[in-house]
Amino acid sequence: MDKTTLIQPERVLPDSEASSKRALLTEMAHSLSSMDPDRVLEVVMAREHLGSTGIGHGVAIPHGRMPDLANPVIALVRHKTGIDFDSIDGAPVHIVILLLVPDSEDRAHLELLARLARLLQQGPFRDAIMHADSPGAISELFCEEGLQ
């Protein structure tokens, strides 16, 4: 697998059982071993306070900018039973993608966010994530879509 893949298998949590939005985001922050989880959670929760990043169709894309980041970082959680994320459609969220980008890359941030949102609006793609049998298989789905 290509080492430049943005969604690396070690950052895919396929079986979250978190009971709240904050617990799930905390779980995601701790999956980023090279980053300070408290700082990640602070950045993401600050964005969530502006408005939920639950975009509908069982998907949320919490995101934020981090000043000391060299490249974008993405983590993914799959929650089989779904979790309340205050989504725009009120539906539980099953797929959460955490996106962190360097503070100086506004355009890259918006482009990557838009690409992820478009991709995750596709029902067959969401179904493939929900039925994938491993973190590597989920990561590979994004590689197949050119998200590297």
Side-chain angles (χ1 to χ4, degrees):
M1 186 178 301
D2 184 352
K3 295 279 188 203
T4 64
T5 301
L6 280 176
I7 300 181
Q8 299 167 356
E10 60 270 17
R11 292 186 178 150
V12 173
L13 306 171
D15 299 309
S16 176
E17 294 181 4
S19 59
S20 69
K21 178 197 292 194
R22 187 172 186 90
L24 186 134
L25 292 172
T26 299
E27 183 178 33
M28 294 185 90
H30 283 278
S31 76
L32 303 173
S33 58
S34 63
M35 301 178 76
D36 176 1
D38 293 331
R39 179 71 181 124
V40 170
L41 191 58
E42 180 184 321
V43 166
V44 173
M45 289 307 293
R47 171 55 188 86
E48 285 299 312
H49 287 303
L50 297 175
S52 176
T53 56
I55 64 171
H57 302 289
V59 175
I61 309 176
H63 56 278
R65 295 187 198 119
M66 303 221 28
D68 299 329
L69 207 55
N71 297 301
V73 171
I74 298 178
L76 182 146
V77 164
R78 180 174 66 187
H79 198 285
K80 293 220 177 185
T81 58
I83 193 164
D84 180 15
F85 217 88
D86 300 317
S87 294
I88 60 171
D89 62 0
V93 165
H94 297 275
I95 300 167
V96 180
I97 295 186
L98 172 64
L99 170 63
L100 300 170
V101 296
D103 204 22
S104 61
E105 294 192 21
D106 288 344
R107 183 180 177 134
H109 179 186
L110 294 175
E111 287 174 0
L112 191 50
L113 191 58
R115 283 180 66 197
L116 287 167
R118 276 192 304 272
L119 191 56
L120 290 160
Q121 291 297 315
Q122 300 171 23
F125 189 74
R126 291 191 311 272
D127 290 344
I129 291 171
M130 293 306 294
H131 293 98
D133 61 1
S134 70
I138 292 172
S139 176
E140 188 61 34
L141 289 170
F142 287 88
C143 286
E144 290 169 4
E145 293 297 329
L147 194 64
Q148 298 175 351

